[in-house]
Amino acid sequence: MVSKKELSERDICTQFILPALINAGWDVEKQIREEVFFTDGRIYVKGNKTARGERKRADYILYYKPNIPIAVIEAKDNTHSLGAGLQQALGYASILDIPVAFSSNGDGFIEHDRSGFSSVVERELSLDNFPSPEELWKKYKKYKGIETPEAERIASFDYFYDGSGRKPRYYQEIAVNRTVEAIAKGQNRILLVMATGTGKTYTAFQIIYRLWKSDTKQRILFLVDRNALIDQTKRGDFKHFKDKMTVIRKKKIDKAFEIYLALYQGLIDYNEDKDAYKQFSRDFFDLIVIDECHRGSAAEDSTWREILDYFETATQIGLTATPKETDKVSNIEYFGDPIYTYTLRQGIEDGFLAPYKVIRVGLNVDLEGWRPEAGKVDKDGNLVDDRVYNTKYFDRNLVIDERTKSVAKKVMEFLRSTDLYSKTIAFCIDIEHAERMRQAIANEAAEQVRDNYKYVMKITGDDDEGKRELDNFTNPEEKYPVIATTSKLMTTGVDAQTCKLIVLDSNINSMTEFKQIIGRGTRINEEFGKTFFSIMDFRNVTDLFADPAFDGEPVMIKHVNGEDELTPEDIEGDSTEDIIDDETGEIIDFGDGDDQTIYDGPQIVSGGGIVSEPPGKIYVAGVPVAVLSERVQYMDGDGKLITESLKDYTKRNLLKEFRSLDDFLIRWNASDKKKVLIDELEKHGIILENLREEVKKDLDIFDLICHVAWDRPALSRRERAENVRKRDYFTKYGDQARRVLEALLDKYADEGIEDIEELTVLKLDPIKNFGTPAEIIKTFGGKEQYLKALKELEELIYKVAA
């Protein structure tokens, strides 16, 4: 009989843990999930390629009802102690918002109870004494503060399932559960903060469905600020409401429905005292969900806030990726602290959002400023004022033709080096700048534009032709348009799944706008090869990544004392409302008070006023413009941009990882597969492939590490391969085996050590020409002998001149 100590972890699960759960009354089909992967694995950017890291996996998650997880179990084999997996289980429980964690080695369980249900935090349980579903549900209710039968009924109501197998991701599950539980306990103002691309609309749908189906909230209003978002929502997740749902259009009200989708603008008449929302009684709606609530509803005096104040008895849920917190306006003051926050950094770490790299381009006129020479005239023959102009003025007040052309040239250089048909959004100062940028790119991409003029298009609020192409731009199936030049229209509400390049040539001072722009690239679409995106920054906008406000917990910073009101002097020059098209809901400008962008053409403000025409621009030509600096920045292990040189960053982190050169050599030589060690370094943010690209030397990974960390002389892979050949190592093998090893050495010289360590290399050219993998291995006398020969080859590679 096999000893328990000899059983694998999976055997322990099957023979001891699962029977204990069934014996305690847990339903295998409905309440027990084994080997649950709850993240997708972070994507690491390696030059222009990517690789996924490990996914987080719980051995068991126990559910009271589907999508209400109440316990996590971490299993170990019986050579481990009973509590060996407890800290790992607690880490998962914390991420998943689960109150109870267990560890087991098959002899019993250690339980850690975070709920406060009893005074005992940890206890040991026998296999026959595992808690029942009802026992753990009581602890969950204590943990969540669910105290009444009515609150329990609401909090435990079923999710929506359409039979497709789609389920909420873990963070969506937390957002839905926390929101429903808060409402069940009587909370009426709720704020959810979820990064762009993490499925806020699907999360909102699940919240609304549970509250609606349970008769907790019977008439519901979903408020958005763009027509495109209404259409997208109606066709997407909300389609399951079928004939119970209506869209309020042209201020026409039908009170026979239960679910209403509406634009803010569709409920307000700015010119007459006939606001459509007043056709509803104040208590008509039980629940209002405000999408992108950082917009006008963040400001107390906004016309949008009037709607929320009118329906003040309704429960109101604010959804946003970018809560607005300035000294003038505050989402938190109105909704309260976020009930849940899921940040861009978390989304990237979990592998649900695309990581990015930043290419910072410094043009001479940007870095040094430009002062016109004596007598310099503009295109109209007028004398240009003698002063130093910099990026604050470029394209806003003064246009340098050559600068626009230089930006366009760099964009096309990048696309030619990667993929000419990568979807690209170029953010410009204003509509006129977007048109000039479109023309400059068209001239740089003349061949592509001749094939199809839609290769590059201006997509702005004033251009009907461009706006008609917005759906084609965001549709992964459509090839054109490839490049969109824009001002504000595409900063938000554009689901650009395959956008691979974002060009920043605008002075973006608003953190809200910056975060929204970055969100255009964060979606992943692996089917179409979108796993990361690049940001080409011409104006140092990406300095905002270093601001703590970029990706932290939102903190209310509005300062208003007691009954004090903001005076006109307080807000002079600061618009707290977004500039927006009254009919379409298109954002023309973000009302942050710190955005100085000027636009062409008449513009409608959400209050009904007209923004005055900006002063004319000065156009000059004949200015020498050159690239003075260009630098690529990658993300580190903590999801932050590396601001020091990549070489210095790598050296510093290698010296943390290895105590000395000898320590590295010991670990390198002891590693059966060098890829395992390389993957371990990547988890700590040390991406050697990126460093190799920066140093522009075809070094072996081994030499790269030794050279960067300890200043050792470095050999190229080809030099190492040639040194091996000089040793007559292959003569002890037969002809066929010798040819295989020589081919493996050539492949190492071309591609690196990782590529020859896997048996799949035997299926690749030219090695596959020697026979099938089985036939090749047979020439060495079997798999063990083949692996031994490969190990000897590796040792010789690194012994030579090591």
Side-chain angles (χ1 to χ4, degrees):
M1 183 177 178
V2 177
S3 165
K4 187 186 283 190
K5 297 288 185 189
E6 298 177 74
L7 296 177
S8 68
E9 181 182 298
R10 182 75 339 232
D11 291 333
I12 292 294
C13 290
T14 303
Q15 297 180 32
F16 296 96
I17 297 177
L18 186 58
L21 299 180
I22 295 171
N23 185 55
W26 291 86
D27 188 315
V28 173
E29 297 296 325
K30 297 179 180 178
Q31 294 181 306
I32 302 172
R33 287 182 63 196
E34 295 188 64
E35 297 187 294
V36 184
F37 290 97
F38 58 89
T39 71
D40 277 359
R42 177 176 171 172
I43 295 173
Y44 293 96
V45 181
K46 303 178 178 182
N48 289 318
K49 298 179 180 178
T50 57
R52 280 207 184 259
E54 290 183 10
R55 302 165 69 189
K56 287 187 173 70
R57 190 205 72 173
D59 289 323
Y60 289 92
I61 297 180
L62 304 183
Y63 294 81
Y64 182 67
K65 296 187 77 172
N67 293 111
I68 303 181
I70 59 177
V72 61
I73 304 172
E74 186 60 31
K76 299 295 179 185
D77 65 43
N78 201 248
T79 63
H80 291 80
S81 67
L82 193 61
L86 190 58
Q87 292 192 137
Q88 187 175 350
L90 283 168
Y92 293 160
S94 177
I95 293 170
L96 300 172
D97 199 24
I98 292 175
V100 186
F102 295 90
S103 173
S104 178
N105 66 354
D107 290 339
F109 299 91
I110 294 288
E111 178 192 54
H112 184 106
D113 180 5
R114 304 192 300 146
S115 71
F117 185 79
S118 68
S119 59
V120 178
V121 176
E122 291 190 4
R123 60 174 178 158
E124 185 173 330
L125 302 170
S126 69
L127 289 173
D128 297 328
N129 199 29
F130 192 85
S132 68
E134 286 302 324
E135 288 178 87
L136 291 186
W137 176 240
K138 290 176 183 177
K139 295 185 177 186
Y140 182 88
K141 288 190 292 181
K142 174 68 175 177
Y143 178 68
K144 294 287 190 172
I146 300 169
E147 298 176 347
T148 67
E150 176 63 7
E152 180 178 354
R153 182 189 72 81
I154 296 169
S156 62
F157 201 84
D158 290 340
Y159 274 70
F160 172 81
Y161 289 101
D162 61 2
S164 67
R166 183 185 184 187
K167 297 178 181 178
R169 291 169 173 169
Y170 85 86
Y171 61 86
Q172 295 170 334
E173 194 175 84
I174 294 171
V176 173
N177 288 342
R178 285 193 183 182
T179 303
V180 172
E181 288 157 3
I183 292 172
K185 293 183 289 184
Q187 187 171 329
N188 279 321
R189 297 292 182 269
I190 293 166
L191 180 62
L192 274 177
V193 179
M194 297 171 65
T196 300
T198 56
K200 289 191 296 296
T201 306
Y202 177 63
T203 301
F205 165 73
Q206 287 287 6
I207 292 168
I208 291 169
Y209 178 86
R210 284 176 67 180
L211 294 170
W212 176 64
K213 266 299 194 183
S214 67
D215 288 330
T216 306
K217 305 293 180 184
Q218 295 176 322
R219 288 185 293 207
I220 297 157
L221 174 63
F222 187 74
L223 270 177
V224 302
D225 61 3
R226 305 239 347 233
N227 264 329
L229 294 178
I230 280 194
D231 296 336
Q232 184 178 302
T233 301
K234 183 183 177 183
R235 294 193 308 266
D237 298 311
F238 278 54
K239 66 185 176 185
H240 303 292
F241 289 126
K242 300 178 181 176
D243 60 354
K244 300 296 183 182
M245 177 176 64
T246 187
V247 177
I248 300 175
R249 296 192 188 278
K250 298 184 178 179
K251 303 178 179 64
K252 293 181 179 179
I253 303 299
D254 185 341
K255 300 177 185 178
F257 293 88
E258 297 176 42
I259 312 293
Y260 293 79
L261 304 183
L263 279 176
Y264 286 103
Q265 298 86 344
L267 297 178
I268 294 175
D269 193 321
Y270 296 111
N271 300 313
E272 301 179 35
D273 189 22
K274 295 179 181 179
D275 291 327
Y277 69 86
K278 291 181 180 177
Q279 296 179 45
F280 295 107
S281 64
R282 287 180 175 272
D283 61 355
F284 184 85
F285 291 111
D286 304 309
L287 174 67
I288 300 177
V289 179
I290 305 99
D291 193 29
E292 306 292 1
C293 69
H294 61 276
R295 300 273 168 72
S297 58
E300 291 178 18
D301 59 351
S302 73
T303 48
W304 294 354
R305 178 69 72 82
E306 290 178 15
I307 299 173
L308 304 186
D309 290 341
Y310 183 80
F311 298 114
E312 64 178 350
T313 60
T315 297
Q316 297 177 11
I317 302 171
L319 304 176
T320 181
T322 54
K324 184 168 288 185
E325 297 302 324
T326 74
D327 59 356
K328 307 293 191 300
V329 296
S330 171
N331 281 128
I332 291 176
E333 184 179 50
Y334 183 77
F335 290 104
D337 289 326
I339 200 166
Y340 184 59
T341 298
Y342 189 73
T343 65
L344 172 63
R345 186 177 300 167
Q346 288 172 289
I348 292 174
E349 177 63 32
D350 289 339
F352 296 128
L353 294 178
Y356 49 84
K357 66 178 181 180
V358 173
I359 302 125
R360 297 184 64 146
V361 182
L363 302 175
N364 60 328
V365 291
D366 295 347
L367 298 178
E368 301 171 346
W370 175 72
R371 182 178 180 182
E373 66 270 22
K376 179 68 176 180
V377 295
D378 66 13
K379 286 188 174 182
D380 294 327
N382 300 313
L383 196 66
V384 179
D385 288 346
D386 182 17
R387 61 181 299 170
V388 176
Y389 296 87
N390 54 34
T391 54
K392 179 180 178 181
Y393 301 96
F394 294 152
D395 299 296
R396 179 188 178 198
N397 308 103
L398 180 122
V399 174
I400 299 175
D401 273 0
E402 289 79 8
R403 187 188 178 283
T404 308
K405 293 173 182 177
S406 294
V407 171
K409 183 177 181 180
K410 288 305 297 182
V411 170
M412 290 311 302
E413 279 180 7
F414 178 83
L415 292 178
R416 288 190 181 95
S417 69
T418 53
D419 176 6
L420 271 168
Y421 292 89
S422 290
K423 296 280 180 152
T424 299
I425 306 176
F427 289 94
C428 302
I429 287 284
D430 57 20
I431 289 173
E432 185 272 343
H433 183 203
E435 172 55 35
R436 284 188 291 103
M437 187 61 68
R438 184 207 63 79
Q439 186 177 29
I441 292 174
N443 286 327
E444 283 293 329
E447 184 178 341
Q448 287 71 39
V449 172
R450 288 191 191 101
D451 287 343
N452 191 315
Y453 77 92
K454 292 182 181 180
Y455 180 81
V456 54
M457 294 200 74
K458 175 172 74 87
I459 301 180
T460 53
D462 71 325
D463 192 314
D464 291 338
E465 178 71 16
K467 284 190 290 186
R468 280 193 290 269
E469 291 298 325
L470 186 55
D471 283 346
N472 288 332
F473 180 82
T474 58
N475 184 352
E477 301 282 353
E478 294 290 339
K479 186 175 183 179
Y480 299 102
V482 175
I483 303 172
T485 66
T486 190
S487 172
K488 299 293 185 192
L489 179 62
M490 298 178 72
T491 54
T492 183
V494 177
D495 188 8
Q497 296 177 27
T498 55
C499 177
K500 293 183 180 180
L501 177 63
I502 290 174
V503 180
L504 300 176
D505 196 26
S506 178
N507 300 322
I508 299 164
N509 302 308
S510 159
M511 180 61 77
T512 300
E513 183 181 3
F514 177 64
K515 291 170 76 169
Q516 291 286 347
I517 285 173
I518 298 307
R520 298 315 102 209
T522 55
R523 286 168 174 82
I524 293 171
N525 190 320
E526 295 188 72
E527 180 184 352
F528 288 87
K530 164 65 184 302
T531 53
F532 78 102
F533 67 106
S534 301
I535 303 166
M536 185 171 282
D537 181 10
F538 290 90
R539 305 216 181 204
N540 294 331
V541 177
T542 50
D543 284 344
L544 289 172
F545 279 126
D547 191 318
F550 175 72
D551 201 47
E553 292 283 340
V555 178
M556 188 173 76
I557 57 173
K558 183 180 179 185
H559 304 296
V560 179
N561 297 320
E563 299 298 319
D564 293 349
E565 295 184 0
L566 297 175
T567 66
E569 289 76 19
D570 291 328
I571 60 174
E572 184 177 355
D574 289 341
S575 170
T576 57
E577 283 200 55
D578 295 338
I579 301 172
I580 195 163
D581 186 299
D582 183 29
E583 293 299 321
T584 67
E586 291 158 7
I587 300 299
I588 299 172
D589 191 11
F590 286 83
D592 294 284
D594 55 357
D595 189 353
Q596 304 176 34
T597 308
I598 294 178
Y599 299 88
D600 281 356
Q603 297 166 349
I604 302 171
V605 185
S606 56
I610 302 295
V611 176
S612 60
E613 290 282 350
K617 296 182 182 181
I618 300 168
Y619 295 84
V620 297
V623 178
V625 176
V627 174
L628 288 189
S629 66
E630 185 172 342
R631 181 181 173 197
V632 180
Q633 292 177 284
Y634 294 93
M635 299 176 73
D636 66 13
D638 296 323
K640 297 180 181 179
L641 274 183
I642 299 169
T643 53
E644 60 190 309
S645 78
L646 195 57
K647 184 175 180 180
D648 290 342
Y649 167 84
T650 305
K651 179 175 182 176
R652 179 165 55 81
N653 282 276
L654 284 171
L655 294 177
K656 283 182 185 176
E657 188 70 23
F658 305 105
R659 295 188 304 274
S660 64
L661 175 60
D662 287 341
D663 180 33
F664 165 69
L665 293 175
I666 289 169
R667 286 176 60 182
W668 179 268
N669 292 325
S671 176
D672 288 333
K673 286 189 175 181
K674 307 301 183 273
K675 187 178 185 303
V676 174
L677 183 59
I678 294 167
D679 289 346
E680 190 64 33
L681 293 175
E682 288 178 357
K683 291 178 185 177
H684 294 91
I686 305 171
I687 313 294
L688 296 166
E689 190 62 39
N690 295 338
L691 179 63
R692 181 155 54 193
E693 193 172 275
E694 184 175 277
V695 299
K696 293 180 170 44
K697 292 181 180 179
D698 187 25
L699 299 180
D700 183 270
I701 292 293
F702 174 88
D703 287 277
L704 191 63
I705 293 173
C706 292
H707 177 65
V708 168
W710 295 285
D711 298 318
R712 290 284 299 266
L715 295 178
S716 69
R717 291 195 301 264
R718 196 153 298 282
E719 286 173 322
R720 284 194 174 275
E722 287 304 315
N723 285 334
V724 170
R725 288 192 176 90
K726 295 174 185 176
R727 301 283 289 256
D728 293 328
Y729 162 70
F730 301 117
T731 55
K732 66 179 183 177
Y733 292 98
D735 288 346
Q736 185 77 336
R738 185 173 68 251
R739 285 196 292 269
V740 170
L741 289 170
E742 287 174 344
L744 286 171
L745 189 61
D746 287 336
K747 188 161 283 292
Y748 156 77
D750 291 336
E751 300 175 22
I753 196 68
E754 308 102 294
D755 293 283
I756 71 170
E757 290 185 322
E758 302 295 335
L759 288 174
T760 52
V761 73
L762 301 180
K763 298 179 181 180
L764 303 178
D765 284 328
I767 302 169
K768 69 179 185 180
N769 298 325
F770 301 124
T772 65
E775 291 170 341
I776 292 171
I777 287 172
K778 190 175 180 180
T779 63
F780 288 86
K783 183 178 178 180
E784 186 177 337
Q785 287 78 8
Y786 167 77
L787 293 175
K788 182 181 178 183
L790 182 62
K791 181 71 174 175
E792 289 177 354
L793 177 60
E794 286 188 358
E795 289 174 354
L796 196 60
I797 287 171
Y798 295 111
K799 182 178 180 181
V800 175

